[in-house]
Amino acid sequence: MEEFLSLTLGGVVNGSVYAAFALALVLIWRSTRIVNFAQGSMAAATTFIAVAVIDSGQSYWVGLIVALLAGLVMGALIERVIIRPVEGGPELNAVIVTLGLFIAIQGAVALFAGVNQRAFVPPFSNIGYEVREGFTLLSLSPNTIWTVAAVVVTMLLLIALFRFTRLGLAMRASAFGQEVARLLGVRVGRMLTLGWALAAAVGALAGLLIAGDVSFISPTFMDQLIVFGFVAAVLGGLDSPIGAVVGGLLLGLALNYVRGYLDDSLLGMASLVILVIVLLVRPGGLFSTTPARRA
Amino acid sequence: MAEPHGSTASGHGLPAASGPAGSGTGTATALLDVQGLSASYGPVRALDGVSLRAESGRITAVLGANGAGKTTLLRTISGLVRPTAGHVVLDGEDITRAPVEAMVHKGMAHVPEGRGVIAELTVDENLRVGSLFRGKVGREEFDRVYDLFPRIAERRDNPAHTLSGGERQMLVVGRALLARPRILLLDEPSLGLAPRIVAQIFGLVRQLVDSEGLSVLLVEQNARSALSVADTGVVLNLGRVVVTDDARTLAADEDLRHAYLGF
Ligand SMILES: Nc1ncnc2c1ncn2[C@@H]1O[C@H](COP(=O)(O)OP(=O)(O)OP(=O)(O)O)[C@@H](O)[C@H]1O
Ligand SMILES: [Mg+2]
């Protein structure tokens, strides 16, 4: 029972990180119908920027804000300069471009920061609370609470943006009905840029949360996340922010049970098995039934 | 060449307060003036020097068979297709090279072919997209559209992909009205609809034209219905204007009907 509780909590924590990453993928997918394979290395880049800020004597929070802003700028620039020319073209072109970006950004990060791992100090303690004499819940620590809370708040903010603001409606109209939106005066190009900018900022948050969770960073430290984030996003239907978060949590739980009850080495395979099952049973993802894809 | 029908283009004499207009004769200005418009898709020439005028407070029907260039005409007017020659003038302003996003600001709303509802959004959200560019819009404007189309009022919180074809057509027309256009471009609103619903939608458009001074450029294959509601008709064939005339005159011309209008 105690092991189950511990694994479940750990699954929620990991899952919320997958969810943040999936959110970033979903934001880009719904605005430009592109799977951004460069998401991981973009997040690695912003994390290293945050670390540089922290190294210079600033607090974690200043580093976080700088990383988020850097994400916004990087996302907007990448969309405008690199993605715009392949938007609406053959899907393969976009895939190749984001794969190329992935390699280029990772190379740039390694060039500036070196290829070695280095330690990362989370903003809060990673030591689990002792819930009862002799029983410490490893995955319930101040830092994991911050991690989960940050993801939940981000999701709520995004939902509020999409559901309750005119800007959010313009973004959704641009994503789902480009031509109609343009005919009705929506600046679709700007909305797509904004979608990428927001996605990169959410990715930047995910990068810092993961760094705090695993306590180290390297130019490739986000690479594994792209698989989990992608599976989580597909689980949720790729179009839905809520779906991304639920997909992330489900994947986090499932993988943590596999890790706990079976074996660590099965994680990659398990996530692919989950992906295949979902695609077979519900090709549109868990959130694609009649109540329709909503923000 | 196409001769614009009975237009004296003298700007004044038109009642400032939108009102009478009707289908009588009298003064009417060309709100939209299309001059020698040509457009191509690669080697395919879809429009070849098309000229027509849509007059203020009138319904101008553009008729023709499949592939005549009707959709291309509307898409070129609103900037979705760039013309190779010619001009589009809206209320005296040359808008030929204006960006698509600017058209609705200038008072032109284009309802594209195939009922462009945004399937993922709810009915109400679809309507709101129509007024987005105007900033904050009072609820009563939405209520007015729902009054016009009670069928979609009941479905306002449902995703638009759950609507029937007729309901979708009502939704896109209502959405365009929320843009408060001076001229409405409608591309085959009758497509796939039951005659009763076509009559209902056409009747409503006529009513808006008569009561609010709206102008409409109506593209239709269903020439009989379109001519029964329009003031003026323009017949296109292979990207060229064949004839422009009073709607009733066209409907009465048996040879023309057989040759180009299929009824
Ligand atoms: N995207 C396109 N690419 C290439 N050719 C096109 C394209 N769209 C239309 N055409 C061609 O241009 C011509 C005019 O087409 P258009 O769609 O304007 O006709 P239409 O009068 O609207 O026909 P319909 O009544 O079937 O809607 C046709 O020959 C058509 O094949
Ligand atoms: Mg057409």
Side-chain angles (χ1 to χ4, degrees), chain B residues 216-254:
Chain B
V216 176
L217 190 60
L218 171 67
V219 154
E220 264 300 339
Q221 250 195 80
N222 185 344
R224 188 205 297 268
S225 299
L227 286 177
S228 72
V229 73
D231 301 295
T232 306
V234 178
V235 179
L236 277 191
N237 189 43
L238 300 176
R240 290 171 194 251
V241 174
V242 180
V243 57
T244 301
D245 210 335
D246 188 88
R248 257 169 291 170
T249 315
L250 289 180
D253 186 335
E254 212 160 307

Side-chain angles (χ1 to χ4, degrees), chain A residues 163 165-167 169-170 172-173 176-177 179-189 239 290-294, chain B residues 75 78 80 100-101 104-105 108 110 112 116 118 120-122 125 128-130 132-133 135-136 157 159 161 175 179:
Chain A
R163 213 171 260 184
T165 72
R166 272 185 277 147
L167 180 64
L169 182 60
R172 282 193 290 154
F176 298 127
E179 186 174 295
V180 172
R182 292 180 73 201
L183 286 172
L184 291 167
V186 176
R187 309 259 196 148
V188 171
D239 258 341
T290 7
R293 292 159 279 173
R294 285 247 216 122
Chain B
R75 292 175 69 80
S78 59
L80 289 166
V100 178
E101 290 88 343
V104 81
H105 292 267
M108 190 163 81
H110 176 177
I118 303 179
E120 287 84 355
L121 305 187
T122 65
E125 286 168 340
R128 269 157 50 204
V129 174
L132 264 181
F133 78 100
K136 214 164 174 53
D157 293 320
H161 68 79
R175 187 175 63 192

Side-chain angles (χ1 to χ4, degrees), chain B residues 70-71 113 187-188 219:
Chain B
K70 308 181 295 295
T71 296
E113 191 172 18
D187 197 342
E188 299 219 29
V219 154

